[in-house]
């Protein structure tokens, strides 16, 4: 997968996995890594799917309607890429924190839904429920931050609440931060994620 890897100044700090939104690239979320954990190494990945020329991490049938078969395949593809990247760059595969926005947050959530060991924790900006009707792995004490919009036209508050319920039901420790700026990723939301990181990730 096309990506950027930037070694950090603290080898013991979690590696930040950056996952962009629809139409983004592996450069989009680099400022978030600086804001949240400037000493961390960064692995920023570009999605392998194109929708009208816009990179995504998995296909969708319509806005808000995911291609579940492709989602499952792409989740496995990303998980395997993370294994390879850990070996190539020499970082601890078990010390990976995902930071995703929109489509990137959805694939990060799907990693949590499929594999207990895929991520140590996650910062999900405006995620949806990736898929329903599956039993989640035991996510005991996995820390998750969700940034949500109370007036988000793409990801409704009910969607956020359902995702929160599913994750907490599997044992994850979830903190939800609400904004009123639709589907936008704002500076105040990033600041809240950074504060959460300092308090919950050691």
């Amino acid at each position: 997968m096309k990506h950027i890897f930037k070694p950090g100044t603290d080898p013991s700090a979690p590696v930040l996995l950056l996952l962009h939104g629809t139409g983004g690239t592996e450069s989009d979320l680099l400022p978030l890594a600086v804001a949240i954990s400037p000493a961390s190494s960064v692995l920023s990945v570009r999605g392998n799917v194109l929708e009208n020329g816009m990179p995504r991490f998995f296909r969708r049938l319509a806005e808000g309607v995911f291609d579940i078969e492709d989602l499952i395949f792409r989740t496995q593809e990303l998980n395997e890429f993370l294994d390879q990247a850990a070996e190539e760059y020499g970082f601890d595969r078990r010390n990976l924190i995902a930071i995703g926005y929109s489509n990137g947050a959805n694939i990060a959530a799907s990693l949590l839904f499929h594999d207990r060991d895929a991520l140590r924790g996650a910062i999900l900006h405006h995620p949806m429920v990736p898929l329903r009707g599956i039993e989640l792995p035991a996510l005991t004490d996995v820390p998750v931050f969700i940034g949500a919009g109370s007036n988000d036209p793409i990801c409704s508050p009910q969607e956020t609440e359902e995702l929160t319920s599913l994750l907490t039901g599997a044992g994850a420790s979830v903190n939800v931060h609400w904004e009123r700026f639709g589907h936008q990723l704002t500076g105040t939301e990033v600041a809240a994620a950074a504060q959460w990181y300092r308090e919950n990730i050691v």
Side-chain angles (χ1 to χ4, degrees):
M1 299 182 77
K2 191 171 175 60
H3 65 280
I4 294 170
F5 181 78
K6 289 190 170 186
T9 56
D10 181 358
S12 66
V15 176
L16 303 183
L17 169 65
L18 306 183
L19 302 165
H20 62 77
T22 299
T25 72
E26 64 276 20
S27 299
D28 281 15
L29 300 186
L30 292 175
L32 270 65
V34 176
I36 289 168
S37 181
S40 286
S41 297
V42 174
L43 177 64
S44 190
V45 183
R46 182 186 295 194
N48 269 349
V49 171
L50 286 177
E51 181 183 274
N52 300 320
M54 298 185 298
R56 281 177 55 85
F57 287 97
F58 58 89
R59 289 196 298 263
R60 59 183 172 182
L61 307 176
E63 188 166 289
V65 183
F66 301 157
D67 182 330
I68 298 300
E69 186 177 342
D70 191 61
L71 169 61
I72 293 169
F73 172 77
R74 299 296 176 180
T75 301
Q76 181 179 357
E77 176 186 58
L78 177 57
N79 212 10
E80 290 172 357
F81 169 76
L82 297 176
D83 292 340
Q84 295 161 10
E87 191 171 327
E88 179 179 352
Y89 296 115
F91 63 80
D92 184 353
R93 178 68 177 83
R94 297 161 301 176
N95 198 19
L96 200 60
I97 303 287
I99 303 175
Y101 167 59
S102 194
N103 180 242
N106 295 337
I107 194 82
S110 185
L111 283 170
L112 292 171
F113 272 43
H114 283 95
D115 184 353
R116 165 63 180 86
D117 299 319
L119 298 170
R120 178 182 161 191
I123 294 173
L124 308 176
H125 294 289
H126 300 262
M128 297 175 67
V129 177
L131 70 168
R132 295 171 170 86
I134 68 165
E135 184 176 348
L136 273 63
L139 297 173
T140 308
D141 299 327
V142 173
V144 179
F145 173 94
I146 295 178
S150 58
N151 56 344
D152 190 330
I154 295 172
C155 175
S156 70
Q158 292 78 14
E159 187 89 14
T160 301
E161 288 159 6
E162 182 182 352
L163 178 59
T164 301
S165 177
L166 289 168
L167 290 170
T168 54
S173 171
V174 183
N175 180 277
V176 183
H177 172 80
W178 292 96
E179 298 261 342
R180 283 197 56 80
F181 294 97
H183 200 63
Q184 289 181 353
L185 176 51
T186 65
T188 51
E189 186 175 318
V190 173
Q195 179 69 25
W196 172 88
Y197 182 94
R198 288 190 293 270
E199 294 173 354
N200 293 275
I201 307 296
V202 287

